[in-house]
Amino acid sequence: MNLEEDKRKVIEKLIREGYIKSKRVIDALLKVPREEFIPEHLKKYAYVDTPLEIGYGQTISAIHMVGLMSELLDLKPGMKVLEVGTGCGYHAAVTAEIVGKDGLVVSIERIPELAERAERTLRKLGYDNVIVVVGDGTLGYEPLAPYDRIYVTAAGPKIPEPLIKQLKDGGKLLMPVGRYLQKLILAEKRGDQVIIKDCGPVAFVPLIGKEGFQ
Ligand code: SAM
């Protein structure tokens, strides 16, 4: 098992297929050890580009999806980002690499056991620019708002209003919308207006919460 080589190969494939192109996203994916975020018995599959089970009926996102979402959000160093759905913390770590030490990732997870485990992994790997919060992310996280970017890693019926409110003017939000047929939606806030773009079909676990599915 040569995980470093597997990682390099999958990232080269994602570049060839057009999912990722910016140096910032490529470097972040090369840096974060995905194997640290998944259960022991699945570690050999760490660089297979597919979601993997992480317990509690949840999954770690596929590598191409984390890369694509990072590109669509146009993440930059120094940004303050809200992630809804921490899961195992892998996607938060990739975002933390991109926003760097001057940036901040606030990540909300509704399942306390997953949040605790993600926090432990992120601390062990030295991601001090990530704050993990237990709660209903459909309500956002008001104490640290507003955010430059917000992304949701579970599919909801619509974009939750509190998330639009907590986005800075000029900020971008990315989330899967729909139950069975889902679309990845990019929303840009410009004053009172929200400009919506459909970024194509996706498949995510459901967003459960007050402004999500019940
Ligand atoms: N970001 C993760 C990663 O690194 O691969 C993947 C997250 S998984 C696809 C989606 C997560 O969203 C699950 O852990 C689920 O418990 C969480 N979730 C669902 N509804 C939520 C809500 N209302 N607030 C916070 N987390 C939620």
Side-chain angles (χ1 to χ4, degrees):
M1 178 164 73
N2 185 339
L3 290 176
E4 275 311 305
E5 198 183 324
D6 292 353
K7 185 201 275 185
R8 195 180 42 74
K9 279 191 182 152
V10 75
I11 290 166
E12 281 170 7
K13 182 171 166 286
L14 298 185
I15 297 170
R16 276 199 309 277
E17 290 173 350
Y19 286 108
I20 54 175
K21 54 179 188 299
S22 68
K23 184 171 174 347
R24 276 201 275 269
V25 173
I26 295 167
D27 287 350
L29 289 175
L30 280 170
K31 189 101 183 278
V32 179
R34 192 173 187 244
E35 63 274 21
E36 296 289 334
F37 293 88
I38 55 182
E40 194 61 42
H41 69 286
L42 293 175
K43 285 197 193 301
K44 57 179 175 290
Y45 305 118
Y47 296 102
V48 178
D49 184 22
T50 181
L52 295 167
E53 301 207 345
I54 55 169
Y56 305 92
Q58 305 303 324
T59 52
I60 180 173
S61 299
I63 305 168
H64 75 272
M65 189 51 66
V66 173
L68 176 68
M69 288 178 76
S70 305
E71 293 284 7
L72 289 170
L73 280 166
D74 191 22
L75 297 169
K76 295 197 177 94
M79 281 184 167
K80 184 165 42 156
V81 181
L82 177 69
E83 176 188 66
V84 176
T86 316
C88 61
Y90 170 69
H91 197 158
V94 172
T95 305
E97 283 289 348
I98 301 172
V99 300
K101 291 290 167 208
D102 295 332
L104 181 68
V105 182
V106 180
S107 183
I108 306 198
E109 172 56 53
R110 63 180 281 272
I111 301 175
E113 291 84 352
L114 284 179
E116 273 160 38
R117 199 202 294 156
E119 170 138 48
R120 239 180 295 130
T121 311
L122 289 161
R123 291 294 154 265
K124 180 179 133 192
L125 295 172
Y127 289 106
D128 299 330
N129 54 346
V130 183
I131 296 173
V132 180
V133 179
V134 178
D136 178 3
T138 67
L139 303 176
Y141 189 65
E142 184 64 43
L144 290 171
Y147 302 96
D148 297 291
R149 299 287 186 264
I150 297 178
Y151 64 90
V152 183
T153 69
K158 59 176 183 355
I159 300 176
E161 204 50 47
L163 298 188
I164 295 287
K165 282 210 180 92
Q166 292 174 27
L167 193 60
K168 281 186 193 169
D169 193 11
K172 291 181 182 176
L173 179 154
L174 188 62
M175 89 170 263
V177 175
R179 187 183 277 272
Y180 303 110
L181 290 175
Q182 305 169 4
K183 290 173 176 177
L184 190 59
I185 298 295
L186 182 66
E188 197 173 336
K189 185 168 167 176
R190 291 201 205 136
D192 293 342
Q193 298 222 58
V194 180
I195 318 288
I196 299 285
K197 187 176 162 204
D198 178 350
C199 301
V202 285
F204 278 81
V205 295
L207 180 72
I208 315 272
K210 192 155 183 285
E211 301 276 328
F213 293 113
Q214 305 305 308

